[in-house]
Amino acid sequence: VGLSIVVPFLRSVFPGQGIGIAAGSIVLSIMILPTITTIATDALAGLPFGLKEGSYALGATRWQTIYRIVIPTTLPSLLTGVVLGMSRAFGEALAVQMVIGNAPHIPHSLFESASTLTSVITLSMGNTVTGSAHNNALWSLALILLAMTFVFVFVVRFLEGRNKQ
């Protein structure tokens, strides 16, 4: 979908080849949408029926019920869905690598090619000498990916803890 629909669309609308950060962002957004919507649907379905009915019985409108009852009650679960979707986005290396261009430079706009941490590590690790500066930089990139994973796991655990209270 990314190479056959998103990239040609971006190529026809914006300057450049269509391959770049914008294409990768659109593809990732499409890929994580099912995860977020499934968790959000489960959270909304798990809302006790009596909460909404009680709000209606007290004279609240539909929008007041959504704003004051539904969203505050399901917010931790909704945020958990967003964080899990973003965690999944970090794991999607191949799809992004194909539409982002995999160019080893720092881009100056959203429509320029770039490279992901995962693709830099996987493409360069076999060609480095142990102990060299390049090898140490690749291990540092891997450490950054590990730290980001820990942050997302910590955020999900924190939101789950808030949801159980």
Side-chain angles (χ1 to χ4, degrees), residues 11-69:
R11 185 181 307 135
S12 65
V13 175
F14 298 103
Q17 300 174 355
I19 294 175
I21 298 172
S25 300
I26 292 170
V27 168
L28 279 179
S29 300
I30 293 169
M31 291 178 79
I32 67 173
L33 196 60
T35 303
I36 295 172
T37 55
T38 300
I39 294 173
T41 303
D42 289 343
L44 293 172
L47 184 69
F49 188 70
L51 286 177
K52 290 194 299 188
E53 289 299 315
S55 177
Y56 292 141
L58 291 172
T61 64
R62 180 178 183 189
W63 290 108
Q64 287 173 333
T65 301
I66 291 171
Y67 177 70
R68 296 185 183 254
I69 302 297

Side-chain angles (χ1 to χ4, degrees), residues 36 39-41 43-44 70-71 74-83 159:
I36 295 172
I39 294 173
T41 303
L44 293 172
V70 175
I71 292 178
T74 59
L75 188 62
S77 297
L78 296 175
L79 292 176
T80 300
V82 170
V83 171
L159 292 173

Side-chain angles (χ1 to χ4, degrees), residues 105-123:
H105 67 277
I106 298 173
H108 299 291
S109 76
L110 293 175
F111 303 105
E112 288 186 25
S113 296
S115 187
T116 63
L117 293 178
T118 309
S119 62
V120 169
I121 293 169
T122 56
L123 293 174

Side-chain angles (χ1 to χ4, degrees), residues 117-118 121 125 135-149:
L117 293 178
T118 309
I121 293 169
M125 190 59 84
N135 191 332
N136 293 339
L138 292 175
W139 280 106
S140 298
L141 291 176
L143 183 64
I144 291 170
L145 281 175
L146 182 68
M148 289 188 320
T149 303

